[in-house]
Amino acid sequence: RAHLHDPGEGRIEVHVLPVFGVGDRTVAGILAGPGEPPKIDWSPGGKVLLTSTRNSPEAPSALALIAVETGEHWSITSPPPDSRGDDEAVFSPGGDLVAFRRRDASGANELWVLPLVDPAKMRRLDFANCGIGGLAWAPDGAGLIVSCCRGRGPKGLWRVPLDRAEPVFLTQ
């Protein structure tokens, strides 16, 4: 299990707890914007954590991987400097893709997918300009389940296929 500890001043400590036994340990320290605690996701193999962090308090948030064993962490996205950044990241069931939300300076949201083996093939899914509240992978890994308010419609869950097919509204 992983959790966040906020000692203040924008610093966030990432802690892990053993499944069996007692005690937790600090794995890494990251920066977060005020009132914006980052999401944490475990890799399918359990060796890496995925989260968002800032290089400085003024910088947009970027996605980072954290090696659980060593605490080493590195950025995997470079959002535009005038944006609010990347967050809400989740590993695909196979662990080879990362889906995330990118927010521009005005707060508009875009949905992106990043192949970890070839980051140059990162692409935006055609599901932009909606207020994304969260996302998860569909169990088959062929799409995402996204909580958002799209256009003037109601807030709800959408299935967004990776194959560029039309998103499907799942809730009423």
Side-chain angles (χ1 to χ4, degrees):
R1 215 181 98 173
H3 69 95
L4 302 173
H5 174 68
D6 184 355
E9 300 180 16
R11 302 260 335 135
I12 303 285
E13 294 174 352
V14 179
H15 290 243
V16 293
L17 293 125
V19 174
F20 301 105
V22 294
D24 66 0
R25 73 181 166 90
T26 303
V27 179
I30 58 176
L31 288 176
E36 295 182 353
K39 179 178 182 169
I40 299 176
D41 192 39
W42 283 93
S43 66
K47 296 183 184 289
V48 177
L49 294 170
L50 171 65
T51 191
S52 56
T53 185
R54 296 171 183 261
N55 291 328
S56 71
E58 302 79 31
S61 58
L63 300 185
L65 296 175
I66 302 170
V68 175
E69 194 64 37
T70 65
E72 177 186 6
H73 57 283
W74 57 97
S75 294
I76 59 171
T77 62
S78 299
D82 61 341
S83 73
R84 293 178 64 193
D86 303 337
D87 61 8
E88 292 297 318
V90 288
F91 282 106
S92 65
D96 57 332
L97 301 171
V98 168
F100 64 96
R101 170 179 73 177
R102 176 166 282 173
R103 297 178 295 159
D104 69 17
S106 71
N109 296 192
E110 296 177 335
L111 188 58
W112 287 78
V113 175
L114 170 69
L116 291 173
V117 295
D118 192 355
K121 292 187 178 177
M122 183 173 88
R123 66 182 173 104
R124 183 177 63 84
L125 297 180
D126 294 329
F127 196 72
N129 300 324
C130 60
I132 298 172
L135 54 111
W137 284 89
D140 63 6
L144 297 161
I145 307 300
V146 181
S147 169
C148 77
C149 180
R150 189 170 187 212
R152 296 196 179 272
K155 185 171 188 170
L157 297 177
W158 291 80
R159 182 179 173 102
V160 181
L162 296 183
D163 65 3
R164 302 192 192 276
E166 278 297 307
V168 176
F169 189 58
L170 299 174
T171 55
Q172 297 291 349

